[in-house]
Amino acid sequence: LAKSLGISGGDALLVNLCYELTAYCTSIIAQDKEGNLFHGRNLDYMFSDLLKKLTVDLQFVKNGQIVYSGTTFLGYVGLVTGQKPHKFTITGNQRDSGGWWSNAVAALWKRSEEH
């Protein structure tokens, strides 16, 4: 993957680990008076000089129609933001409180209490 992108193996690894190392992203959802939803997010990583050169918006097309789209980094496995038109949007964001394990348990616990 790194070779095909013309970057070093270290840079490719950095791109795939950047979220785990410096995840500071935030998303916001807003709705206007007509009921239209807007999903915004920032990508405020520490490696911004490198990542802004690698950031791309992609469209995945099937039979001439956009099936879904997303924002990612060249060389990154997956999308950091994605959407299926008129269906849903999704982002990966950081929660800066506790370790990943305690956050996962807290989220599952809260969800089980709601049902």
Side-chain angles (χ1 to χ4, degrees):
L1 184 62
K3 184 177 178 181
S4 67
L5 292 172
I7 61 176
S8 71
D11 283 347
L13 180 61
L14 177 64
V15 167
N16 281 278
L17 293 177
C18 70
Y19 185 77
E20 285 76 11
L21 298 173
T22 65
Y24 298 108
C25 298
T26 303
S27 294
I28 186 169
I29 305 293
Q31 185 174 14
D32 67 13
K33 292 178 183 179
E34 288 78 40
N36 297 305
L37 295 174
F38 298 89
H39 180 179
R41 69 108 28 106
N42 65 4
L43 295 170
D44 55 347
Y45 292 99
M46 291 175 60
F47 309 104
S48 60
D49 288 340
L50 170 64
L51 292 180
K52 71 181 170 184
K53 297 174 188 173
L54 299 174
T55 302
V56 293
D57 291 318
L58 303 173
Q59 294 179 335
F60 298 85
V61 178
K62 182 177 181 181
N63 299 326
Q65 298 293 315
I66 297 172
V67 180
Y68 60 95
S69 60
T71 301
T72 193
F73 307 114
L74 290 175
Y76 185 74
V77 178
L79 298 171
V80 292
T81 303
Q83 70 131 344
K84 182 169 180 66
H86 311 290
K87 301 291 182 187
F88 65 86
T89 63
I90 188 167
T91 57
N93 297 297
Q94 181 206 30
R95 177 179 169 165
D96 192 21
S97 175
W100 73 268
W101 177 250
S102 60
N103 287 334
V105 170
L108 291 172
W109 185 268
K110 181 176 180 174
R111 184 172 179 180
S112 68
E113 288 178 343
E114 292 173 353
H115 287 71

Short mmCIF file of all heavy atoms in Angstrom, two decimals, residues 59-68:
data_model
loop_
_atom_site.label_atom_id
_atom_site.label_comp_id
_atom_site.label_asym_id
_atom_site.label_seq_id
_atom_site.Cartn_x
_atom_site.Cartn_y
_atom_site.Cartn_z
N GLN A 59 -16.27 8.80 -3.28
CA GLN A 59 -17.63 8.41 -3.59
C GLN A 59 -17.59 6.97 -4.10
O GLN A 59 -16.81 6.65 -4.99
CB GLN A 59 -18.25 9.31 -4.66
CG GLN A 59 -18.44 10.73 -4.18
CD GLN A 59 -19.04 11.61 -5.26
OE1 GLN A 59 -18.92 11.35 -6.44
NE2 GLN A 59 -19.70 12.66 -4.83
N PHE A 60 -18.42 6.13 -3.52
CA PHE A 60 -18.52 4.74 -3.92
C PHE A 60 -19.78 4.61 -4.78
O PHE A 60 -20.89 4.88 -4.29
CB PHE A 60 -18.58 3.83 -2.70
CG PHE A 60 -17.33 3.94 -1.86
CD1 PHE A 60 -17.20 4.94 -0.91
CD2 PHE A 60 -16.28 3.06 -2.04
CE1 PHE A 60 -16.05 5.06 -0.14
CE2 PHE A 60 -15.13 3.16 -1.28
CZ PHE A 60 -15.01 4.16 -0.34
N VAL A 61 -19.60 4.25 -6.04
CA VAL A 61 -20.68 4.29 -7.03
C VAL A 61 -21.03 2.87 -7.49
O VAL A 61 -20.16 2.04 -7.70
CB VAL A 61 -20.24 5.15 -8.25
CG1 VAL A 61 -21.32 5.17 -9.31
CG2 VAL A 61 -19.88 6.56 -7.80
N LYS A 62 -22.33 2.63 -7.61
CA LYS A 62 -22.83 1.37 -8.14
C LYS A 62 -23.94 1.69 -9.14
O LYS A 62 -24.88 2.44 -8.80
CB LYS A 62 -23.37 0.49 -7.00
CG LYS A 62 -23.87 -0.86 -7.44
CD LYS A 62 -24.31 -1.69 -6.25
CE LYS A 62 -24.80 -3.05 -6.68
NZ LYS A 62 -25.25 -3.85 -5.53
N ASN A 63 -23.83 1.16 -10.33
CA ASN A 63 -24.81 1.42 -11.40
C ASN A 63 -25.04 2.91 -11.62
O ASN A 63 -26.17 3.36 -11.81
CB ASN A 63 -26.14 0.71 -11.10
CG ASN A 63 -26.00 -0.78 -11.01
OD1 ASN A 63 -25.20 -1.39 -11.71
ND2 ASN A 63 -26.76 -1.39 -10.12
N GLY A 64 -23.97 3.68 -11.55
CA GLY A 64 -24.05 5.12 -11.81
C GLY A 64 -24.60 5.95 -10.67
O GLY A 64 -24.74 7.16 -10.82
N GLN A 65 -24.93 5.35 -9.54
CA GLN A 65 -25.48 6.07 -8.39
C GLN A 65 -24.50 6.01 -7.22
O GLN A 65 -23.87 4.98 -6.98
CB GLN A 65 -26.82 5.45 -7.95
CG GLN A 65 -27.90 5.50 -9.00
CD GLN A 65 -28.35 6.92 -9.29
OE1 GLN A 65 -28.57 7.71 -8.39
NE2 GLN A 65 -28.46 7.25 -10.57
N ILE A 66 -24.41 7.11 -6.48
CA ILE A 66 -23.55 7.13 -5.28
C ILE A 66 -24.22 6.28 -4.20
O ILE A 66 -25.34 6.57 -3.78
CB ILE A 66 -23.33 8.55 -4.77
CG1 ILE A 66 -22.58 9.37 -5.82
CG2 ILE A 66 -22.54 8.54 -3.45
CD1 ILE A 66 -22.46 10.84 -5.50
N VAL A 67 -23.55 5.21 -3.81
CA VAL A 67 -24.07 4.31 -2.79
C VAL A 67 -23.72 4.86 -1.41
O VAL A 67 -24.55 4.86 -0.51
CB VAL A 67 -23.50 2.89 -2.96
CG1 VAL A 67 -24.04 1.95 -1.90
CG2 VAL A 67 -23.80 2.36 -4.35
N TYR A 68 -22.50 5.31 -1.25
CA TYR A 68 -22.09 6.01 -0.04
C TYR A 68 -20.83 6.80 -0.34
O TYR A 68 -20.21 6.63 -1.39
CB TYR A 68 -21.91 5.08 1.16
CG TYR A 68 -20.89 3.99 1.01
CD1 TYR A 68 -19.60 4.17 1.49
CD2 TYR A 68 -21.22 2.76 0.45
CE1 TYR A 68 -18.65 3.16 1.38
CE2 TYR A 68 -20.28 1.75 0.33
CZ TYR A 68 -19.01 1.96 0.79
OH TYR A 68 -18.07 0.97 0.68
#
